Amino acid sequence: MEYIAYAIICVFLSLNMSAQAQSSSDADLARASLYHLQKDFGNAIQCFETAFKVKSPDALNAYKAAAVYSLDSNAKMSAYYLQKAIQAGWAEASWLVADPYFEYFKQADPITWNQLITQAKEKELVYEKKLTQPTLRTKINLMVLSDQQLRYKKIQTKDKEELQDIDLAIAEADKKNLAEAKNILATYGWPKLSEIGKDGQNNLWLIVQHADHDILFQQQVLKKMKRLLKSKEVNLENYAFLTDRVLCNLNYLQEYGTQVNWTINGMANSFRPIRNEWDIDQRRKKLGMTGLDIYSLAYGFTYEKPKKVTCTRTQQEVIKKVKLLIDTASEAFYRGDFQLTYDSYNSASVFSEGMSDRENFKAAVIFATIAARDRDPKYRDISFDFLNLLYLRGKLKESSLRRTYQFETLHDDPRWIKLFYPGT
């Protein structure tokens, strides 16, 4: 019995040490991504190498390491990891050919480079045979490749006139890609992994993720992705990201902690508000995602999960702050202090889920009333902001709009028509 107990303890300790090592490896990979973004290639390489001692790299991380080595002017190690990436399943040959991160490698060792390109193309041909919509995959990948090339070009130039031209080109590309993405979704729904592969799905998701000006479309995509959750035909991490993106765009609390508060240079200082934050890692684990303490390192800050009592207290404090701001706004409105009304409601609206749908509607009514008396356009604008939020949430009833006489002052505004006919 003592031997069995000892064996069980040894197995437990072994598993625990293995889990700790994996966690450490994930942390190093997260740090490597941040260093890469900050162009600190030396530290990025060190983090990659430390992580790979614990676990051999998958195709994506091997590709990232190869790119960093090329950026660090080391063609030999770049070739080493690019070979590993291809062997592990990297099959985006067109992306590799055009990837500007490998410019040094191409020039320093063109023979090895061409050999690896040939291998990548052969791997891609084999990979495409497993897909049911390979042509669609290629189309999507080339759309995003063109987009990323423009964005890389923008980073490299300091000429103001050239920057303006690039910005115009990016805007035009985004518009074209979004229109094409809508056509794809209308034709195929959300394309399955077995149809366009993981890379095809990732690239299509990237277009959708950046369409923050079209939240209705993001919501439609999310519904189509949700239908595939049980089929294992959708990238679960992409689903989590888009879920949180939509929730934050609607001023709701996020579910998976993928959205951060940005600072500078690809860094952040915290996560945007999270629902039931004490239980966040369980939700992430179900989708195969690392804990927030690891994920935060990719953005340059450390994170410690709060306890339930802390989260509850924080939410109660938010409720109190918002109530005080709304009360202040109401009193200011009746006194005719419209600026204070505006400032107070504007501050209240910043808190995720701080204001109820009814409070948002009341704010819209108040500012429509003010807009009829004061010609400052900001009062009309903020009234529409509250109405548009409710519309996007699906909480705005046409009957309520039409019978609220205070909104008559908004009837001549094109934004009023769009509340009823969003396509106009």
Side-chain angles (χ1 to χ4, degrees):
M1 289 295 293
E2 289 181 0
Y3 172 79
I4 294 175
Y6 174 74
I8 291 174
I9 291 172
C10 287
V11 170
F12 175 77
L13 290 174
S14 177
L15 290 173
N16 189 46
M17 289 174 66
S18 176
Q20 289 178 349
Q22 182 59 51
S23 178
S24 175
S25 174
D26 290 338
D28 282 315
L29 290 174
R31 293 189 185 97
S33 294
L34 178 63
Y35 286 134
H36 181 188
L37 191 63
Q38 295 175 333
K39 299 182 179 180
D40 185 351
F41 306 131
N43 274 320
I45 287 170
Q46 184 176 345
C47 287
F48 274 128
E49 293 295 352
T50 302
F52 296 160
K53 287 178 182 178
V54 177
K55 182 180 179 181
S56 296
D58 58 15
L60 179 58
N61 282 310
Y63 186 90
K64 289 180 179 179
V68 172
Y69 268 114
S70 178
L71 290 167
D72 198 47
S73 303
N74 189 331
K76 182 178 179 180
M77 290 304 296
S78 181
Y80 172 78
Y81 278 110
L82 191 52
Q83 179 77 67
K84 278 186 169 294
I86 294 170
Q87 290 173 345
W90 181 266
E92 295 179 67
S94 297
W95 190 283
L96 175 58
V97 169
D99 194 334
Y101 289 161
F102 290 99
E103 205 58 47
Y104 175 81
F105 181 8
K106 294 178 189 178
Q107 301 299 324
D109 190 352
I111 294 177
T112 303
W113 171 256
N114 289 327
Q115 290 173 344
L116 289 171
I117 290 297
T118 299
Q119 290 181 32
K121 288 180 177 179
E122 291 173 352
K123 175 75 74 172
E124 185 164 31
L125 288 173
V126 174
Y127 179 64
E128 285 180 337
K129 291 179 180 179
K130 300 177 182 179
L131 305 176
T132 59
Q133 295 290 345
T135 303
L136 178 60
R137 167 188 175 265
T138 300
K139 179 179 181 178
I140 293 169
N141 288 352
L142 290 177
M143 285 164 56
V144 175
L145 176 59
S146 177
D147 173 75
Q148 292 303 304
Q149 285 176 324
L150 283 170
R151 282 173 163 77
Y152 183 80
K153 188 177 179 181
K154 179 179 179 179
I155 295 172
Q156 300 305 309
T157 185
K158 295 182 179 179
D159 184 272
K160 290 184 178 180
E161 290 186 5
E162 187 177 6
L163 277 173
Q164 290 179 348
D165 291 339
I166 294 174
D167 283 337
L168 288 173
I170 289 175
E172 185 61 31
D174 286 347
K175 182 179 179 181
K176 183 178 179 180
N177 284 349
L178 180 57
E180 191 54 50
K182 289 183 177 182
N183 289 334
I184 291 171
L185 267 292
T187 304
Y188 300 94
W190 183 253
K192 300 175 181 178
L193 289 171
S194 59
E195 293 174 334
I196 62 173
K198 187 174 181 179
D199 57 323
Q201 261 200 11
N202 285 344
N203 286 327
L204 184 58
W205 163 82
L206 189 63
I207 295 172
V208 176
Q209 186 83 344
H210 289 164
D212 289 329
H213 61 285
D214 197 339
I215 301 174
L216 289 177
F217 176 60
Q218 289 182 327
Q219 290 176 299
Q220 292 169 6
V221 173
L222 196 57
K223 289 179 182 179
K224 294 178 185 295
M225 293 178 76
K226 192 172 184 178
R227 294 170 189 163
L228 298 176
L229 288 180
K230 293 182 180 180
S231 69
K232 297 183 179 179
E233 286 277 16
V234 64
N235 184 306
L236 297 179
E237 190 169 358
N238 288 353
Y239 172 77
F241 267 88
L242 187 56
T243 296
D244 284 349
R245 191 80 159 217
V246 168
L247 288 171
C248 288
N249 283 339
L250 296 176
N251 203 29
Y252 286 132
L253 298 166
Q254 60 174 324
E255 290 288 333
Y256 300 104
T258 65
Q259 305 298 294
V260 297
N261 293 309
W262 293 99
T263 52
I264 56 172
N265 197 22
M267 297 181 68
N269 57 17
S270 60
F271 291 106
R272 296 182 68 173
I274 302 169
R275 186 184 309 282
N276 298 343
E277 190 172 353
W278 65 88
D279 197 34
I280 180 64
D281 285 342
Q282 291 301 315
R283 297 198 295 276
R284 290 176 62 88
K285 186 176 181 180
K286 288 180 180 178
L287 299 187
M289 302 167 72
T290 61
L292 283 192
D293 58 333
I294 301 298
Y295 180 63
S296 65
L297 299 177
Y299 295 97
F301 68 96
T302 56
Y303 170 83
E304 184 175 348
K305 185 172 59 178
K307 295 181 179 179
K308 183 176 181 179
V309 63
T310 303
C311 295
T312 302
R313 188 185 308 120
T314 299
Q315 189 59 30
Q316 290 173 343
E317 290 173 356
V318 167
I319 293 171
K320 289 180 181 178
K321 288 179 182 178
V322 172
K323 185 179 184 305
L324 178 60
L325 286 166
I326 291 176
D327 288 345
T328 300
S330 297
E331 293 172 4
F333 170 65
Y334 289 114
R335 291 199 315 268
D337 188 344
F338 299 151
Q339 182 61 53
L340 181 56
T341 305
Y342 180 90
D343 292 340
S344 298
Y345 262 123
N346 206 32
S347 296
S349 68
V350 170
F351 294 94
S352 300
E353 296 187 24
M355 294 174 63
S356 67
D357 292 329
R358 179 175 294 184
E359 288 167 337
N360 280 305
F361 189 81
K362 182 180 178 181
V365 172
I366 286 176
F367 286 112
T369 304
I370 295 174
R373 306 178 193 177
D374 192 308
R375 292 185 178 277
D376 191 328
K378 68 183 179 185
Y379 298 120
R380 177 178 284 227
D381 291 344
I382 196 171
S383 183
F384 275 115
D385 286 343
F386 282 114
L387 289 175
N388 193 53
L389 176 63
L390 291 170
Y391 171 74
L392 293 172
R393 286 181 172 183
K395 303 295 184 179
L396 191 62
K397 295 182 180 179
E398 184 175 336
S399 57
S400 298
L401 281 174
R402 295 195 183 280
R403 69 168 175 257
T404 304
Y405 72 89
Q406 289 93 338
F407 291 140
E408 290 178 4
T409 190
L410 307 180
H411 289 184
D412 63 342
D413 195 301
R415 289 172 290 183
W416 177 258
I417 301 300
K418 286 186 177 181
L419 291 173
F420 301 104
Y421 309 103
T424 56

